[in-house]
Amino acid sequence: MLNGIKGRMVCGLAVLALSMGARAQTAGLNAGMSVDTIDPALRGRIDRIAAQVLEQRGVPSVSIAVVKGGKLVLTHAYGNAHLDPDVAATPEMRYSIGSISKQFTAAAILILQEQGKLKLDDAVGKYVPGLTRGDEITIRQILSHTSGYRDYWPEDYLMTPMLKPETAQQILDTWAKEALDFEPGTKWQYSNTNFVIAGEIVEKVSGQKLFEFLGEHVFHPLGMKSVWDSDEAKLTATDATAYIRNALGPLRQAPKEGRGWMFAAGELAMTAHDLALWDESLIAETVLKPESYKEMFTEVKLKDGTGTHYGLGLEVRQRDGHRSIEHGGEVTGFVSDNEVLIDDGVAVVALTNHMSGGAGSIAQLVASTVAGTGVLSSAEKQAMAIYADLQKGHIDRNLLAPNLNDYFSDETVADFRSSLAPLGEPLSFNQVREELRGGMTFRSFRIVYPGKRLSLTTCTYPDGKLEQYLVSPAD
């Protein structure tokens, strides 16, 4: 259940909760106070995304933070953080971030490497003895989920044994000392067991608790004052309440995992504001050395050269031509998502208090919307104008070559209007591809709505006339 990898059908535990030495007893310690310096029109689109996804998914609340131009420009919370009685969510409230925590554990390992205390290609058995083939499997392989160690929490619900406390050593004795699921380096398989091993390595090498080490080297320097170790203690009454739903039944308060089950794989909770401060540091590369960020952000490849779309503790992807450093998180009653378009200086945090998801949709839609708010190309402006006209049942036939003019019969124009008009204004409209085809310029555009994405393809002759303008559901 400590899951958190968007775009993969992966079950599992993906929550790392770090508890900074002296815990705050009030949520956020004012670290999540509202920020709103974003363009009002863009803010309106973000409000639409959040409201519509919450309604579609039946999620009680979401707390979001937006980074634009490398700086935090918006924090806001939507919906109710607690039900019956209803309590509105606020940016000061903390949510568990689940497996997003894994990138913090990976950062701790990289800091220790910078200090000369270990190397990524060291065998894990050098620091944690007794593990299956521990003299072969490397730290790099556990941080990239290519080790072969079996996941101790692949289920997406909380099993009865997990209501009781457990230790990291007991987890390793049970899951990291049995036969591997595959030869190291030959497959990618999400496994929370990997990060329990990583957490143990951090504590043994540093001589500190993982949470204390991260507090000293990451949280305190970045001003992340709200961070809470939810593995050690439940969130407070002033934080968001976790909810689950059985099938299509009513929302119910979620049970709490026993102490120890989330160690180093998903123990952290915090405000969206503070997670965005971490995102700012990823963009500016202020905590680690440049070579460490390169290691963290580089896709790990299998022995046969196959890509994994995973770096060290985070996912590495291309989103419509934008390099994305991302990860999701899930613990009982909380689902989170963190998207960082690293080259664009854009990041979006979405934290929800329900197991039905929605965080990934919100984060990806908002990130796409924020990254697409620059100057539109002439091709994008023309394509958008034609789209808006077709929603009204009109088209400028002076723009069309003979074949496309014939294609847009009265019936076709009417179909475009009846199917597109109810969708309203898109959240984003961006060109994602361009190439030559048959003496024309072929372009592909992505049109984004909450819960729906459309693909538009055009073909344009050198004289500017359009030979194609087709809209279809996106993959």
Side-chain angles (χ1 to χ4, degrees), residues 2-6 14-15 97-101 103 190 315 326-330 335-339:
L2 281 172
N3 188 321
I5 306 297
K6 300 165 304 301
V15 294
I97 68 168
S99 282
I100 295 173
S101 304
Q103 59 199 260
Y190 198 83
E315 195 171 1
E326 58 190 60
H327 213 289
E330 177 186 323
V335 173
S336 58
D337 198 80
N338 192 38
E339 302 273 340

Side-chain angles (χ1 to χ4, degrees), residues 68-86:
K68 188 172 187 286
K71 300 297 181 183
L72 181 60
V73 296
L74 178 67
T75 61
H76 195 71
Y78 304 81
N80 291 318
H82 184 81
L83 305 175
D84 193 26
D86 293 349

